[in-house]
Amino acid sequence: MTEASCSEIKPHEEIQLIYRCKKCRQIVASQQNIVPHDQGKGEASFGCRKRTVESDSLPKCTAIFVEPLKWMQTVQEGYVFEKLYCMGCKYRLGSFNWAGMQCSCGAWINPAFQILKSRIDECQI
């Protein structure tokens, strides 16, 4: 190999994730749209008396939180909280609330645009 051809070789590109509607396969979000959050305390974070849970395992999030996206029609219409539907097939994907929402792991996210993992497929590109 010559020096010119070595400089043309691109380093291994990072794997990107996209999220698709399970029903119609429409792309609803990408890895860049994810809003990260710190892991909550799990079941101890829920309820009015904050139950004591004796478990060392960290709770798993059952949803992803994203930034507001163009396809979210109810957000564009000015609603404060509502359900989120796929723009292609009108399948319910999750919900949003500008005041915030609690994740299944117990963490609070403000504002919250929640897409349930059970309603989407995670794909690598």
Side-chain angles (χ1 to χ4, degrees):
M1 289 185 139
T2 64
E3 280 186 46
S5 63
C6 286
S7 63
E8 293 175 38
I9 297 174
K10 296 179 182 176
H12 186 265
E13 293 182 15
E14 192 174 314
I15 296 173
Q16 296 293 319
L17 296 176
I18 58 170
Y19 300 92
R20 296 177 176 267
C21 171
K22 268 194 176 176
K23 191 171 181 184
C24 71
R25 308 290 296 151
Q26 178 80 31
I27 295 174
V28 294
S30 67
Q31 187 174 4
Q32 292 83 18
N33 303 121
I34 301 293
V35 175
H37 64 276
D38 295 329
Q39 193 78 15
K41 295 178 184 176
E43 196 173 327
S45 302
F46 296 96
C48 58
R49 293 204 175 111
K50 307 291 185 201
R51 295 172 249 175
T52 56
V53 178
E54 297 171 13
S55 176
D56 293 333
S57 64
L58 288 174
K60 298 208 181 208
C61 298
T62 58
I64 60 170
F65 289 86
V66 296
E67 57 195 26
L69 300 167
K70 284 184 178 181
W71 63 266
M72 297 176 178
Q73 185 177 1
T74 51
V75 175
Q76 301 296 329
E77 292 173 357
Y79 286 91
V80 176
F81 59 92
E82 189 62 65
K83 294 175 174 61
L84 293 173
Y85 297 95
C86 175
M87 64 185 160
C89 64
K90 305 299 181 212
Y91 185 59
R92 181 169 171 239
L93 298 174
S95 57
F96 76 93
N97 192 331
W98 283 102
M101 210 181 279
Q102 196 169 18
C103 180
S104 61
C105 72
W108 275 93
I109 294 87
N110 287 356
F113 298 87
Q114 180 186 51
I115 299 176
L116 301 172
K117 287 182 179 179
S118 63
R119 305 292 178 113
I120 55 174
D121 288 326
E122 187 177 280
C123 305
Q124 296 179 355
I125 56 170

